[in-house]
Amino acid sequence: MQLRKVTAASAAVLALALTATACGSDNKDGGSDSSGGGKKINIGIKIDQPGIGLKTPDGKYTGFDVDVATYVAKELGYDAKDIVFKETKSADRETAIERGDVKFIAASYSINDERLQKVDFAGPYLLAHQDILVRADDDSIKSPADLNNKKLCSVTGSTSAKNVKDKLAPKAQLQTYGGYSECLTGLENKVIDALTTDDSILAGYASQQNFQGKFKLAGFQMTNENYGIGLKKGDADLKKKINDALTKMVSDGSWDKAVKANFGPANYKNEPAPKIGNIVK
């Protein structure tokens, strides 16, 4: 009889433990509930792109994508303290969404047909273009063709520099570095002549306090990059909620404010906020 009492008590304790574990798991699952209610939400961002998504030494997150993600999360019912930002490198974005590691991703994530096979996108929320960054006092590069015989830098594995060499300036001398900061140092020291990637990313780097006034964007607009918010394929309800949030961010002036705050020091001539679903080819 005593044994049955202990067993029953143990079963009760076990049941309570399982219930508590289930509740705890649900609370920390950033992808299970888009309605907020005090639960955490995991959001994928870049953490090494000034002006876009940057984790500062004191553990804070800044950048245009961070501002967009925070605004959207608020509209979904999450306070800033409920947001868990997770680094999502370019090669890992689709996998992070498919596995449910994050609820959505805002990380200079261009919408294209290949990615649409695996994930859905809300937006776009920014129309960027491939461009080049040069020294502020350099007026020798007036068109992409002027990059011929110039030292052009981009990061290892990037397709931006290859795009220029293959299509616009076949005699450009490609220099690939480990990161954009290294390219900027080379540009500042006149080791290279130009740096290429999306204009929004270039503007973010040029807006850093230690670089302000030293560089300028050429404004070539060599490609169209429609930045969207990536989410799990087939989640139509979440997609609509995010699109509604982005529409509100534009209409209430928060979008313009975020652009000015993150890109303003580089005199970035951004495109107007794109209309939801308007993919510019």
Side-chain angles (χ1 to χ4, degrees), residues 10-26:
S10 299
V13 170
L14 178 60
L16 286 171
L18 290 172
T19 302
T21 301
C23 291
S25 174
D26 188 51

Side-chain angles (χ1 to χ4, degrees), residues 126-129 199-200 203 217 259 263-271:
L126 183 72
L127 175 59
H129 306 281
D199 53 8
S200 57
L217 287 148
V259 167
F263 305 129
N267 295 316
Y268 174 47
K269 296 178 176 60
N270 63 283
E271 297 277 6

Side-chain angles (χ1 to χ4, degrees), residues 132 139-150 168-169 172 220:
I132 66 166
D139 295 321
S140 66
I141 304 175
K142 301 182 184 300
S143 72
D146 292 331
L147 291 167
N148 282 308
N149 301 313
K150 297 283 190 180
L168 302 168
F220 290 159

Side-chain angles (χ1 to χ4, degrees), residues 24-235:
S25 174
D26 188 51
N27 281 337
K28 68 181 180 181
D29 179 63
S32 66
D33 184 6
S34 62
S35 62
K39 297 178 182 178
K40 300 294 184 182
I41 181 170
N42 295 336
I43 301 175
I45 58 166
K46 292 289 182 68
I47 66 169
D48 58 355
Q49 291 183 347
I52 298 290
L54 180 70
K55 185 177 182 180
T56 59
D58 60 359
K60 295 180 180 179
Y61 297 90
T62 65
F64 182 70
D65 282 353
V66 173
D67 290 345
V68 170
T70 301
Y71 188 100
V72 169
K74 182 179 179 181
E75 291 301 304
L76 293 177
Y78 296 93
D79 294 331
K81 62 181 175 57
D82 298 324
I83 298 173
V84 179
F85 286 118
K86 291 183 172 290
E87 179 184 13
T88 47
K89 296 181 179 180
S90 296
D92 300 330
R93 288 179 295 204
E94 287 83 37
T95 302
I97 291 171
E98 290 173 334
R99 281 198 312 240
D101 295 344
V102 294
K103 189 69 175 176
F104 63 81
I105 290 178
S108 55
Y109 201 3
S110 298
I111 303 170
N112 62 37
D113 292 338
E114 181 180 355
R115 290 168 179 162
L116 282 168
Q117 298 300 313
K118 298 180 179 180
V119 300
D120 280 343
F121 284 94
Y125 63 89
L126 183 72
L127 175 59
H129 306 281
Q130 186 184 340
D131 200 356
I132 66 166
L133 193 72
V134 297
R135 289 181 292 277
D137 60 356
D138 186 356
D139 295 321
S140 66
I141 304 175
K142 301 182 184 300
S143 72
D146 292 331
L147 291 167
N148 282 308
N149 301 313
K150 297 283 190 180
K151 293 178 181 178
L152 178 66
C153 188
S154 194
V155 299
T156 304
S158 169
T159 59
S160 298
K162 187 175 184 298
N163 180 55
V164 172
K165 187 170 177 64
D166 289 351
K167 300 177 182 178
L168 302 168
K171 295 182 180 180
Q173 301 173 28
L174 297 186
Q175 308 284 323
T176 55
Y177 291 177
Y180 291 116
S181 295
E182 296 172 55
C183 286
L184 281 166
T185 300
L187 184 59
E188 184 178 19
N189 295 332
K190 300 185 178 181
V191 176
I192 62 169
D193 301 304
L195 162 61
T196 186
T197 187
D198 294 357
D199 53 8
S200 57
I201 296 173
L202 294 174
Y205 276 99
S207 294
Q208 294 179 95
Q209 189 171 1
N210 56 322
F211 288 135
Q212 288 180 19
K214 295 182 178 180
F215 306 112
K216 63 183 178 182
L217 287 148
F220 290 159
Q221 298 189 357
M222 294 181 279
T223 63
N224 295 322
E225 307 294 337
N226 298 275
Y227 287 5
I229 292 182
L231 63 145
K232 185 165 288 188
K233 196 164 187 64
D235 195 339

